[in-house]
């Protein structure tokens, strides 16, 4: 099956190659978990490795902020814009929503002009400004997502987490039900430090890894690493050592191997 | 007693053969737990194994999405539709509700035309759009369910979970009280990975297994496997090793067998 | 003291013989815990063993549903109705409440005509439709309960639990304060399966067992069994092994007996 | 200092002799914890042992219910009423509140006619019908309590708990701040049974025991027994064995005595 | 730096000598934790030891109640009032707030007439009657506190806790942010009894002890004692034995000293 | 990359040199955690070590309070104001917000007149007075932050925590998403005392330490120390000893070194 690699090796492995084409993929995390970095890497890698031009749709930050953030990882966004392979568009949810309802709207024009195949929407949480009711929000996001698919785009939608350190959110009428995949970025406290965990919870129509992996935000972007070992309750944010490991830690690995 | 097998071997075992005829069966889960897959398997297997034509009622997704999802498991829905054994109907809760109140409505026509005996309603959570009050919602769903039974249908109703990782939901005036069976699909974190758990909590008028089973979403549909072993608190989503197993893990199984 | 046995041997033991005459007895549980079965057994056993005719008052389900459910346990309700020892009455909370305020109302007529001494009200939770405020609800239920007592009835009132797996509910102005006894049915996860627990929390004017017992819903009705052993936190729904038992499980019962 | 013994030996010990004269004493518990029994014992013992006539003010239950409940413990309330040493008065919070505002009101008349020195108010929770706002409720209860003190009464006010099994309630603007003593009755799950715990949390102007005691509701009233041993988290409702006791339970008391 | 000793030896040690002059000091606790006693001791000791006259501002209780409470500890408040060194003023938050806005108000007159340097405000929670919105409440309390400082007063403000047994309160816009010091009084369950814990959480502009100390309410006032030993989670209200202590309790202190 | 050191050695290490220029940096803590001290140190050290004049914007406390607080650490703010290197400005969120919308506003004048490069905003929580809706608050703070950046300022924004002892706050539409870095100050109960923990959760565009460090508020300002050792759940406020350390504490470090 055709895939849209994210350019993040470990994540592509977990996704069995990448996102499916023309899908909406939700990436959710608390402040500082690297949602935007992950999304930019998907766009940047799409352009430079897959030859798939891309769009970045931002509802709050100025394009300059993205240029700076990307530059920190050696990604020259202005150059890609000059080469007509990227457009960073600052707009509002209101305009975006109205635009997708008409033929030949602005977004469609952008897509056509650079042949965009990928889009980063940063962040879908701003749609809450338009729709403070959860059911309305869901309908609105669903319409938006379908508009993107009609334009042939594969999308990363970032979303801001509603809990800082791992509580279980209320997901009644959640937009996670209308997207094609759902990736969680979480803080995990281990040994008096905050590590980061990545989990692919859902991928519609394809297999995916189900382990909870550590990752780092490096000078080259998101770096997905091994799964956590010997801990339980990772997604709660405050895991504990499993007792087996605790005993080994205390007494050494002297037990008979079964 | 006559049964309507779901076509999922492990689940049919748990249900002592399948659902009872002309019942409404609630299947609840978070995003990515395979609610729709389970429902489609019930319909597909009904048509192809039991020779019972079926309907799929969808309130959000387009039929094409179901075709694609089913194709991934080797189930050719368009062919079944062409053979007049299946209808995938996209509609709204409003229309559906009004329709069931009249004799010879649209749904009744569909049932008559293909001789449908099964229906998948995906998802009943969309009735919340009509009824934001829980008591109203319950009355509305109850009326809908009775309408389906009057048409001779055995129904799977999917429902979206309101907690992501296993919290205990408020079930005041819950629709789980008006359905005939209630199946829970849950995420369970074990050894730094997300596994899935299936539990039959209720089956009116018949016995059922009460163990919490692991399951996988495979290329052939839902595959129900063994129960979990040596863990407590599975339905909380973050189970812990029981201490007996923890000691055995640390010291080996050297203890005298009692 | 005179007693009204429920016909469930283990429960009658726990209640020191059964309910007191002319009392209102609350039976609360989540979906699938067997509230209605317990209530029907109280009515059926009253008629067939104690020669006390009975009424079933239902606010949602059709009488046919009760016939079917009872038939599954070998209880022939239509025959009892034909013999004028039972009436299954489908009505609404509104009608019931108005009816009890007048002399010679409908319910009184039913009671007189068959000499009813017992009643199952299934479920009192439907009174929330009339009274969405907790204080109003309490007054309404209290008036209803007194009306039943004036008619000489001993009542089982089922109530739907507001938590699925054992959370601690808010009981401010709860109707449990105005009934004569209060029985809790709860799910308990043990060894990767859902067991059921029964507890008599309150019995006004009489002694009762205070242990938490296991029970099964069998083809002959509710079967109350032994108490749970070696677990703590049962009413939380996710009990843990006590450490004493955990050590014994791991090392065998080799410790000196103190 | 003069005391008003409750007649419950263990409780009087804990209170260092009993309640202080002309105080308001709050007794709080969930359904079935024996709040009313405790209050009746205070009244009955006052009359029969201390020669202090008493009143019972009830806002919901009929006097007959109190006669029955008391009879179960061998207390003949009608006889005491006939001897002009007791009055059981059914009224409403509205009437009571208005009454206390005037000189020579009804309550004052009752007090004068039988020389009442004690009163049981069952339950103060019914004042919530008058005042649904917490600040209003507090002012209202405070005024009521002062009215009782002006009449020279020592009062037990029962209150219904807002949690069933031991959660930590919100006590913002709670009436516990305006009473003179505060006694908690709680359920405690131990060894698969529900025991009951009693705690004196506060006694204004006097010392009191601070241990959490077990108690039983016997055929002779409330019987306060020893404190709990070897458990932690009793007031949470689901205590755990302390590890010291757990080890001793597993290995016997062979350890060197330090 | 000049200090205002509270007269409670252990607390003055913790505060490095006492409160700073012209500061507002918040003392928070559940019913029965001795907030008012602590405040009275600050006033009484100020008058009798430091020769600093003081005021007691009460919004609910009558002065007689304070006289009685103080008498129980051997403190003769009426005598101090007669000597013009103390005034116990019963008023309302409304009057107080209005009063502080004008020059030469009533409070200022009291301060001038007896040369008051200290004040106990019992309790600041009554300001919630004026301001049910948290932001308004904060502004109101802040204005009040500044008024007290303008009068040269060092203040103890008691506050009623919103949790009974140690839950973590919401402190959004809390008045704890506008006071100079913040002392918590908490219940702690240990060995089946309720002990009391005192913690100085904040002292603006000065050092303070950070340990959690036990205290008793004795016939001589508040008595602050040693810190708790060998327990974790004290401020949660239900601490547990640390495992080190648990092992020692079980096996004795035979381990090699490291 | 250019940095703006905070003057707190341990924190600058954690931030890899300090804040990035022209960024908004959120410092959040409960009462008494030293938010303002940290912010003042950033300003004072900026002026005295980096020769970067600074502003302090206060919405509640008077400048005199800052002078006093700073004096306690040996920082002479009035002298710096006299030297035209500092301005402490008391204003309101309303005025500030309006001011930043115009060219040549008051804040801009202050910046120009002393060449300010740094600003402490104490606290951003006061913007909630203007915007009680979270989405409005976020937009307002975002506009404010951009205004500061346009003036070339590097900002510390203090924020009041909404939990006292470590609960997980709701961060839906939180302003932490729009700032450049996010520092958490938390209370941690260890060995019956309250310690303080500091964590850098996010730093946009730069690396940062992820460990949770202890810190003290000393007579010389904030002093960041080593990370916590051997505890889990630090950010919950009530950490527990890890079992490895617990065993070592009990049995000594006799285990074979693996």
């Amino acid at each position: 099956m055709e895939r849209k690699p994210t350019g993040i090796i470990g994540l592509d492995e977990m996704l069995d190659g990448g996102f499916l084409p023309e899908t909406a993929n939700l990436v959710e995390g608390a402040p500082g978990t690297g949602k935007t970095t992950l999304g930019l890497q998907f766009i940047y890698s799409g352009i430079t490795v897959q030859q798939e031009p891309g769009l970045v749709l931002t509802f709050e930050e100025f394009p300059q902020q993205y240029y700076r953030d990307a530059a920190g990882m050696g990604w020259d966004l202005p150059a890609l814009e000059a080469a007509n392979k990227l457009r960073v568009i600052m707009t509002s949810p209101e305009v975006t929503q109205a635009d997708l309802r008409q033929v030949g709207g602005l977004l469609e024009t952008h897509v056509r002009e650079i042949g965009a195949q990928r889009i980063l929407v940063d962040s879908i949480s701003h749609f809450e400004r338009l729709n403070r009711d959860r059911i309305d929000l869901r309908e609105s996001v669903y319409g938006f997502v379908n508009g993107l698919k009609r334009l042939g785009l594969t999308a990363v939608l970032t979303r801001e987490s509603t809990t800082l350190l791992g509580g279980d959110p209320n997901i009644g009428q959640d937009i996670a039900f209308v997207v094609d995949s759902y990736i969680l970025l979480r803080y995990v406290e281990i040994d008096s430090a905050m590590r980061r965990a990545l989990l692919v919870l859902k991928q519609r129509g394809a297999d995916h890894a189900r382990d909870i992996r550590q990752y780092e935000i490096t000078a080259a972007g998101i770096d997905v690493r091994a799964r956590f070992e010997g801990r339980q309750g990772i997604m709660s944010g405050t895991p504990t050592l499993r007792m087996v490991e605790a005993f080994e830690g205390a007494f050494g690995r002297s037990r008979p191997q079964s």
Side-chain angles (χ1 to χ4, degrees), chain A residues 7-44:
Chain A
I8 300 165
I9 296 174
L11 178 57
D12 285 334
E13 275 173 30
M14 292 176 77
L15 292 168
D16 209 16
F19 298 126
L20 292 179
E22 297 181 23
T23 54
N25 304 283
L26 189 64
V27 175
E28 177 186 311
T33 50
K35 297 175 298 293
T36 300
T37 302
L38 189 154
L40 282 177
Q41 196 159 356
F42 168 73
I43 295 298
Y44 181 79

Side-chain angles (χ1 to χ4, degrees), chain A residues 55-59 66 89 91 96 107 119-123 144:
Chain A
L55 301 175
V56 174
L57 214 62
T58 155
F59 300 129
Y66 290 88
I89 306 154
T91 180
T96 304
L107 198 59
I119 189 168
L120 163 63
V121 179
D122 191 36
S123 72
F144 173 63

Side-chain angles (χ1 to χ4, degrees), chain A residues 140-175:
Chain A
S140 175
V141 169
Y142 185 66
F144 173 63
V145 155
N146 280 332
L148 298 180
K149 292 181 180 178
R150 276 196 303 273
L151 294 176
L153 295 169
T154 304
V156 165
L157 317 176
T158 62
R159 178 162 72 162
E160 299 168 1
S161 173
T162 57
T163 58
L164 186 60
L165 295 176
D168 197 359
N170 181 318
I171 59 164
Q173 296 291 342
D174 197 80
I175 63 170

